[in-house]
Amino acid sequence: MKNKFRIAVRKFDAFEKTIDDIWDAFCKETTCTLELDAVSLDLHPLYDTIIKDNGLANGTWDVSLINTDWITEANSKNALVNLAPYITKNPPDDFPDGWSTSLLEKQEFGEKVVGLPFHNGPECLIYRKDLMESSIEQKAFQKKYGKALNPPKTWDELLEVAEFFNRPKDNLYGTTFAAYPDGHNTVFDFCLQLWTRGGELVHENGKVMVNSNAAKEGMEFYRAALKNTKALHPDSRNFDSVKSGMAFANGELATMVNWFGFASMCEVIPQSKVKGKVDIAIVPSGPNGEGVSLNAYWMYAIGTGSQHKNIAYDFIRFAINTENDKLLTLNGGIGSRKSTWHDKEVNSKVPYYYKLEELHKNTKSLPRKSNWSEIGDIIDQLVLKVINTSEDIEHILTAAQKEINLIEKG
């Protein structure tokens, strides 16, 4: 591996293209002669190779994209290089002021910094503004429901609007939930349902709690929603966030709650059928809560087993400069710098891009726990039982809580 520079990449066209482009530019600027070996992987295989199989620690990978869900576990295994000394000696341009603090906190452990921001974009409501603003649709909605057609502010309103726009004969469906069982999408949906109903995932004692009244209310809604064939895309159970995002870009959905990046993607990828027809709003809420966004993001991290640590840091530093952060955005990802969020060219292509800064002000994050992947798996199974069985939801939550309590005890 001495002549190769290996990067583990989350499988997504925008990520793959951007890293290839940046590596080519990096080699031209630095005369680096290493051959790039960038391997794209789905979520589970990516987690397995970099953490479960110790690929970052044993030198299989020089650099990996790593998300906030996994960063604490990877750090606890000493799999990640502390970047603080590199940053002190040769900091990235405008570091740390060039980024929102919400994108710098998860990778800090005391004095250590084990990652630098790559791709972000909190969850939000994404909707077809051409449909929502159509005078024909507005009149029809007013006639049917006796009220104005607006972007939904509550979960119940989301399903109402979704049922209105659900038109299978036109290959148009009202909404979707990314219910693919990968330990992430269902977990994110659980948390959004909980938080937007005034619930908390982690309580004052630092323990994860999934059997609250807010969780029960959220899962009752989620079960009913996933069974609502009058509102949902029929492939919802097979959708992860990427596939649901592509379905939206293909014109198959009127609304969805998903990562901001999939709204932006609709404006920049060639195959999008909804360019110029999209807008975003805050995540809907439950009757006793408020719209809250989920903040999870991807970072570049260097493996402790890498034989090319200095080159790896130089590459990452180059990759997150202003020009390349913007490049990621124009390729269909989401740049993490404030400069990208307010860039005139970016906002001319994606007219709601500036809203990212506001979204970041009202976010919650998953807890930083080294055993989070185990807890996440239990929540994943909890949600699958909710949507795939008729078992009493309170019983499902109670059983899951007992499993989590055992993990928390160590």
Side-chain angles (χ1 to χ4, degrees):
M1 300 295 180
K2 287 186 178 180
N3 297 320
K4 289 191 174 183
F5 189 82
R6 304 200 75 217
I7 303 180
V9 182
R10 163 65 164 118
K11 191 172 185 179
F12 180 37
D13 287 348
F15 293 178
E16 296 158 33
K17 181 178 182 347
T18 299
I19 287 174
D20 283 344
D21 290 346
I22 292 173
W23 180 259
D24 289 344
F26 173 71
C27 289
K28 286 179 183 177
E29 182 165 306
T30 63
T31 65
C32 174
T33 58
L34 292 176
E35 178 188 348
L36 176 64
D37 183 15
V39 180
S40 0
L41 300 157
D42 286 321
L43 280 172
H44 271 300
L46 179 60
Y47 170 82
D48 287 347
T49 187
I50 66 174
I51 298 179
K52 187 177 178 181
D53 298 334
N54 298 310
L56 283 169
N58 66 23
T60 301
W61 305 103
D62 295 295
V63 167
S64 178
L65 296 185
I66 186 168
N67 62 39
T68 45
D69 292 16
W70 306 336
I71 197 78
T72 304
E73 183 177 0
N75 178 65
S76 71
K77 291 188 170 187
N78 296 314
L80 307 177
V81 170
N82 177 16
L83 304 180
Y86 295 89
I87 293 170
T88 299
K89 186 177 180 180
N90 189 19
D93 295 343
D94 198 23
F95 185 87
D97 296 337
W99 290 264
S100 165
T101 55
S102 60
L103 295 176
L104 298 174
E105 296 169 334
K106 291 294 184 180
Q107 59 269 40
E108 293 182 354
F109 297 88
E111 298 298 315
K112 292 173 66 177
V113 177
V114 296
L116 287 170
F118 168 67
H119 163 92
N120 82 104
E123 293 221 44
C124 58
L125 173 70
I126 304 171
Y127 64 91
R128 287 275 300 277
K129 69 177 181 180
D130 61 319
L131 296 177
M132 209 73 69
E133 295 172 1
S134 162
S135 59
I136 294 173
E137 301 291 2
Q138 288 179 347
K139 288 177 182 177
F141 189 87
Q142 178 74 42
K143 183 177 180 180
K144 184 172 184 178
Y145 295 101
K147 58 183 178 181
L149 173 62
N150 291 303
K153 293 184 177 180
T154 69
W155 292 110
D156 289 340
E157 287 176 1
L158 174 66
L159 285 187
E160 190 174 63
V161 169
E163 287 185 9
F164 175 73
F165 283 118
N166 201 65
R167 298 159 192 180
K169 291 181 180 178
D170 300 327
N171 198 30
L172 176 67
Y173 300 92
T175 193
T176 191
F177 292 90
Y180 184 72
D182 60 4
H184 292 270
N185 292 280
T186 48
V187 176
F188 295 150
D189 277 351
F190 176 85
C191 291
L192 282 181
Q193 289 297 326
L194 175 68
W195 289 331
T196 57
R197 297 170 191 279
E200 293 292 342
L201 183 63
V202 179
H203 284 246
E204 293 177 359
N205 60 4
K207 304 297 184 183
V208 171
M209 182 175 175
V210 298
N211 61 343
S212 62
N213 288 333
K216 181 183 177 185
E217 180 185 303
M219 288 300 94
E220 286 173 346
F221 167 84
Y222 200 71
R223 173 179 276 177
L226 264 293
K227 292 180 178 179
N228 190 339
T229 56
K230 295 179 180 179
L232 250 63
H233 193 294
D235 291 333
S236 293
R237 289 169 186 263
N238 298 316
F239 278 164
D240 60 6
S241 58
V242 174
K243 288 180 179 177
S244 56
M246 291 306 298
F248 192 95
N250 195 44
E252 298 173 26
L253 291 162
T255 67
M256 68 175 178
V257 172
N258 206 334
W259 304 104
F260 178 92
F262 295 111
S264 174
M265 182 183 74
C266 292
E267 312 295 345
V268 297
I269 63 171
Q271 60 267 45
S272 173
K273 296 179 181 177
V274 294
K275 184 177 180 179
K277 301 176 180 179
V278 179
D279 206 346
I280 69 159
I282 61 171
V283 174
S285 67
N288 299 312
E290 61 178 6
V292 176
S293 188
L294 173 62
N295 180 33
Y297 53 95
W298 287 89
M299 295 162 270
Y300 288 107
I302 301 173
T304 51
S306 171
Q307 298 179 39
H308 308 295
K309 293 183 180 69
N310 289 332
I311 293 173
Y313 177 73
D314 289 342
F315 168 71
I316 290 175
R317 181 180 178 277
F318 179 78
I320 64 171
N321 67 24
T322 304
E323 181 181 350
N324 288 323
D325 194 70
K326 180 177 174 180
L327 174 67
L328 170 64
T329 299
L330 297 178
N331 279 344
I334 296 295
S336 297
R337 282 179 172 267
K338 295 176 186 175
S339 60
T340 304
W341 299 351
H342 295 285
D343 183 88
K344 287 184 179 179
E345 181 185 3
V346 170
N347 277 279
S348 70
K349 294 178 181 292
V350 186
Y352 38 84
Y353 214 89
Y354 68 94
K355 295 181 182 181
L356 259 176
E357 189 161 15
E358 195 62 32
L359 283 178
H360 269 279
K361 291 178 181 177
N362 187 28
T363 63
K364 288 181 179 287
S365 299
L366 298 179
R368 293 210 312 182
K369 288 177 173 284
S370 59
N371 57 5
W372 176 252
S373 61
E374 293 178 77
I375 295 173
D377 284 343
I378 291 171
I379 296 175
D380 185 42
Q381 292 304 310
L382 173 168
V383 178
L384 291 178
K385 284 184 180 178
V386 166
I387 64 177
N388 293 326
T389 76
S390 57
E391 187 177 343
D392 179 70
I393 287 177
E394 191 168 345
H395 182 266
I396 294 173
L397 297 176
T398 300
Q401 187 64 56
K402 289 178 180 177
E403 290 186 70
I404 291 172
N405 291 344
L406 288 174
I407 291 174
E408 297 266 51
K409 286 178 181 178

